[in-house]
Amino acid sequence: MAPRSALRPSPLATSATAAAPRHFLDVSALDRGTLRRILELGTAFKRGEGPAATRPLVGRTLALIFEKPSTRTRVSFEVAMRRLGGDVVVLSAKEMQLGRGETVADTARVLSRYVDAIMLRTDSAAKLTELAAAATVPVINGLTDQSHPCQIMADVMTFEEHKGPIAGRVVAWCGDGNNVARSWIHAAARFGFTLRLATPESLRPPAELIAWARNEGATIELTEDPVAAVRGADAVVTDAWVSMSDAPGTSRHNLLRPYQVNEALMSHAPNAIFLHCLPAHRGEEVTDGVLDGAQSVVLDEAENRLHAQAGVLAWCLEPLSARP
């Protein structure tokens, strides 16, 4: 059988077949210049310029694979792809042979004959890596238990809209050292800001990840004192105490109770914006007063998932002739 590109020519067929696919797997996997290029594309999309004006993905199809529930990731990717001129196929584990024993590699090879890019939201980072290794089209990380790079791209975009360049600034994280916190560590190494992590010692991100970031030149400060972390910060960030892969339990909540982002804590960072990737568990990791308060930019942050991911899609499928 002829390759898909020979059967169904498209405006980007030459770039898709002539070069290795551009994957977006983690912030740590790309250099600062590339990440800046993605943010520039996303900002242009938001302004109705560049990719939004030219609709470069006409005739292209994105497969969205969800092995975990999603609201923002699904809607933002669907809308971004369609606004860029493309189409979307949404798949869940229950609908796919992947959930019935077909290998990840076989799934990748088959989907590469049907679609032009694949987004995977899953538990296993290894599954994402295997998919990317076998696919001949770009693969995008829509979330794993280890990282959430699309979220952090939206967060950096949001920070810079409200506070200016993030390089040299201070971001404070309070709570569980989960996948979003790990992507913030990646971002600190690539964008050049100080990251203060206030977590219980038992819920800190892995020591090897901290060592990697510091070796890359990042300033990472670890503390168990949330007040020390947020004092004078430019942004305060938190996330749910129980992630989708975690078993809920009283002990976790007891550990994290002192790290709740409330009005008293935010008083130590009067000039900071507040970020949360949502969904929020009101009254747990954050109070209503903070989430709905004047320092909160969570709705801008949620909107920017759309624009940042448009940048990711435009970059992943950018024609060779347009690449810097």
Side-chain angles (χ1 to χ4, degrees), residues 129-160:
T129 302
E130 185 179 355
L131 186 78
T136 56
V137 299
V139 171
I140 298 168
N141 178 356
L143 176 143
T144 73
D145 287 352
Q146 299 302 311
S147 63
H148 198 355
C150 288
Q151 180 64 56
I152 265 51
M153 294 297 282
D155 291 353
V156 172
M157 179 183 285
T158 306
F159 181 100
E160 296 195 331

Side-chain angles (χ1 to χ4, degrees), residues 61-217:
T61 302
L62 169 68
L64 299 175
I65 303 175
F66 290 96
E67 295 190 326
K68 289 188 172 224
S70 172
T71 299
R72 279 150 292 276
T73 297
R74 174 172 176 170
V75 175
S76 55
F77 264 115
E78 280 204 57
V79 173
M81 188 64 179
R82 295 188 193 283
R83 288 189 184 175
L84 289 167
D87 207 347
V88 178
V89 176
V90 181
L91 300 163
S92 71
K94 293 180 180 178
E95 299 168 324
M96 299 178 65
Q97 295 299 330
L98 182 61
R100 297 179 175 86
E102 184 171 34
T103 68
V104 174
D106 284 348
T107 299
R109 295 183 188 106
V110 170
L111 287 180
S112 294
R113 298 298 184 100
Y114 297 150
V115 303
D116 302 280
I118 304 166
M119 191 278 327
L120 176 64
R121 183 179 177 93
T122 185
D123 54 354
S124 169
K127 188 179 293 185
L128 176 78
T129 302
E130 185 179 355
L131 186 78
T136 56
V137 299
V139 171
I140 298 168
N141 178 356
L143 176 143
T144 73
D145 287 352
Q146 299 302 311
S147 63
H148 198 355
C150 288
Q151 180 64 56
I152 265 51
M153 294 297 282
D155 291 353
V156 172
M157 179 183 285
T158 306
F159 181 100
E160 296 195 331
E161 286 176 348
H162 286 270
K163 304 291 286 184
I166 198 169
R169 310 299 281 275
V170 176
V171 175
W173 174 275
C174 293
D176 183 21
N178 64 8
N179 56 348
V180 180
R182 295 177 190 195
S183 282
W184 272 105
I185 294 169
H186 294 158
R190 292 293 178 258
F191 289 102
F193 58 86
T194 295
L195 180 63
R196 298 176 186 161
L197 290 161
T199 68
E201 185 174 4
S202 61
L203 296 178
R204 279 181 182 169
E208 58 269 24
L209 176 58
I210 302 298
W212 169 86
R214 287 172 171 166
N215 189 57
E216 292 286 309

